[in-house]
Amino acid sequence: MLATQHYNRSALAVDEVLRNQTHTMSPVAPVRCRENLTSTNNPTAAGLSMTLGIVSNIIALIILAKAYARLRKRSKATFLLFASCLVATDLAGHVIPGALVLHLYTAGGLCNHTDPTCHFLGGSMVFFGLCPLFLGCGMAAERCMGVTRPLLHARVVCTARTKVVLVMIWLLALTVALLPFFHLGTYTYQYPWTWCFINVLGKTSMTDVLFVLLFSGLGLGSLAVALICNTISVMTLVIARLRRKKCNRRSTKSHDIEMVTQLVGIMVTSCICWSPLLIFGLMSVIRSYSGGMEDDLKTYRTLMVMGVRLASWNQILDPWVYILLRRAVLRKIYRLTTGRSDLKGSTFRRWEISSFQNSLKNAINLN
């Protein structure tokens, strides 16, 4: 997903002209809005942002694919499969909508409100917006079970079931994105007319309100579930650390620390990047439907542009969570910050041990 990077205030005047020409406009020929873009007409910043996102996701995908091939039969394989699908989805969500936004920008923007390109772009933004939130929620739930109930996790979670869950997540996001094609909500061009999203600022109907409530509710709900699951996981690991004993089966769950750290990074990134758009969308559609938008239209347009820009950065920052929060990188950071070259006795030394195998052995001994 890639939000447009350039716009100016002349769009307000152009919008007034468009409203006056609503009845004379051809329903087929696209209406260009080149006046809304900067005079340079150079999408360099947008192109650089898109390139950065593509490179970041490809690097993270290579790292995760190698780790998954190496640990396919271990308990971490499920997490790596989730993470790989998340990064692959981020990559697709960065390239497909991003290419359309760049095309619209170089074309000068389109002001048509019933356009196949807009429908596809709007649906893509909803689909690729919900997928990372759903996947992050699923990863948090999977790790919460792995940390708190390792034996149940080993018995219930497997690669085949994980793939089924992934397909269900993608189908759920696709179903939501296709609802406007069944007249539940609409997609329209959004200011500055180089991206499409749910209709929240125009003449909104009750179906638009319901669609935004569904989209924002699912997104915020996924973030809330991820927050709860990650909090439980972190607290479990902290308590196990504090109560560490010689035969404590949870004290050696070292790779869980790495995975939960990455999950917390994903959750924080998603909350910062996606919460504004989800909340601003709700605020805008409710205000628009109540009929009190005229005086604050400029403010809500600015909020929506800011929200979609932040959301676009989620797909750039997500892969860096996996690139930076790895044992190899954290080990180097530990050496630099502590000045120690020997990791003996440190937490990072224990990260070489398979936590699931140790917890399983201890559980057998206890029984």
Side-chain angles (χ1 to χ4, degrees):
M1 184 189 305
L2 182 64
T4 180
Q5 302 293 323
H6 301 280
Y7 66 95
N8 58 32
R9 300 180 185 275
S10 63
L12 297 176
V14 176
D15 187 57
E16 294 295 333
V17 175
L18 290 173
R19 282 203 292 264
N20 295 332
Q21 295 177 348
T22 300
H23 299 290
T24 61
M25 228 173 18
S26 171
V28 178
V31 178
R32 304 294 175 182
C33 294
R34 190 172 295 276
E35 295 88 343
N36 297 318
L37 304 178
T38 59
S39 57
T40 59
N41 197 34
N42 182 17
T44 302
L48 290 175
S49 176
M50 183 175 178
T51 303
L52 176 61
I54 293 173
V55 172
S56 301
N57 280 283
I58 289 177
I59 293 174
L61 195 58
I62 292 173
I63 292 173
L64 289 169
K66 289 182 177 180
Y68 180 72
R70 186 173 66 253
L71 302 172
R72 182 173 297 179
K73 294 183 179 181
R74 301 186 185 181
S75 62
K76 193 177 178 179
T78 302
F79 175 84
L80 292 173
L81 181 59
F82 264 113
S84 300
C85 291
L86 174 59
V87 173
T89 304
D90 279 341
L91 177 60
H94 202 73
V95 172
I96 297 174
L100 288 174
V101 169
L102 285 175
H103 170 71
L104 290 175
Y105 181 81
T106 54
L110 296 176
C111 296
N112 291 37
H113 292 270
T114 55
D115 180 81
T117 301
C118 182
H119 289 163
F120 181 78
L121 179 56
S124 297
M125 294 187 72
V126 170
F127 174 78
F128 290 115
L130 288 177
C131 277
L133 299 178
F134 289 164
L135 289 170
C137 178
M139 292 167 65
E142 185 270 337
R143 265 306 86 202
C144 184
M145 179 185 293
V147 170
T148 59
R149 297 291 186 271
L151 294 180
L152 178 62
H153 178 274
R155 187 167 62 250
V156 173
V157 179
C158 63
T159 301
R161 290 175 179 172
T162 302
K163 291 179 180 178
V164 172
V165 172
L166 289 170
V167 172
M168 291 175 62
I169 287 174
W170 284 324
L171 287 177
L172 176 58
L174 180 62
T175 300
V176 176
L178 291 178
L179 288 179
F181 294 92
F182 298 96
H183 308 292
L184 180 58
T186 53
Y187 294 125
T188 60
Y189 284 101
Q190 304 287 328
Y191 176 80
W193 324 121
T194 53
W195 62 290
C196 286
F197 195 58
I198 307 169
N199 181 24
V200 296
L201 295 175
K203 294 181 179 179
T204 55
S205 63
M206 179 55 69
T207 56
D208 293 320
V209 176
L210 292 176
F211 189 32
V212 176
L213 285 173
L214 177 63
F215 174 74
S216 297
L218 288 173
L220 293 173
S222 298
L223 290 174
V225 173
L227 175 62
I228 293 172
C229 291
N230 287 331
T231 301
I232 294 173
S233 299
V234 171
M235 293 302 298
T236 301
L237 292 175
V238 169
I239 292 173
R241 176 74 175 174
L242 294 176
R243 296 179 178 178
R244 184 178 58 183
K245 295 180 181 178
K246 187 176 180 179
C247 297
N248 192 313
R249 66 177 182 174
R250 289 179 180 171
S251 63
T252 56
K253 287 189 174 183
S254 51
H255 79 238
D256 282 331
I257 299 175
E258 179 187 27
M259 289 186 285
V260 172
T261 301
Q262 291 175 340
L263 280 175
V264 171
I266 294 171
M267 181 189 66
V268 172
T269 302
S270 298
C271 288
I272 294 174
C273 293
W274 271 104
S275 294
L277 181 62
L278 297 174
I279 295 173
F280 293 159
L282 277 175
M283 292 169 53
S284 300
V285 75
I286 293 173
R287 184 67 180 272
S288 178
Y289 185 72
S290 64
M293 179 63 72
E294 294 298 329
D295 297 333
D296 299 322
L297 180 60
K298 179 180 175 182
T299 301
Y300 280 96
R301 279 179 170 176
T302 303
L303 290 176
M304 289 300 296
V305 171
M306 182 175 64
V308 77
R309 286 182 174 180
L310 283 173
S312 68
W313 274 96
N314 182 75
Q315 292 159 329
I316 299 176
L317 297 176
D318 262 353
W320 287 101
V321 173
Y322 306 106
I323 295 172
L324 297 178
L325 299 183
R326 292 179 295 136
R327 281 179 285 184
V329 176
L330 292 175
R331 197 179 292 121
K332 291 180 181 178
I333 295 175
Y334 177 81
R335 287 171 176 168
L336 291 174
T337 55
T338 61
R340 294 176 57 184
S341 59
D342 185 12
L343 298 179
K344 186 177 181 179
S346 68
T347 302
F348 298 97
R349 177 70 176 174
R350 292 191 297 273
W351 280 16
E352 301 299 330
I353 305 172
S354 172
S355 64
F356 171 72
Q357 291 176 348
N358 287 324
S359 63
L360 183 60
K361 289 178 182 178
N362 288 329
I364 294 173
N365 292 333
L366 290 174
N367 292 331

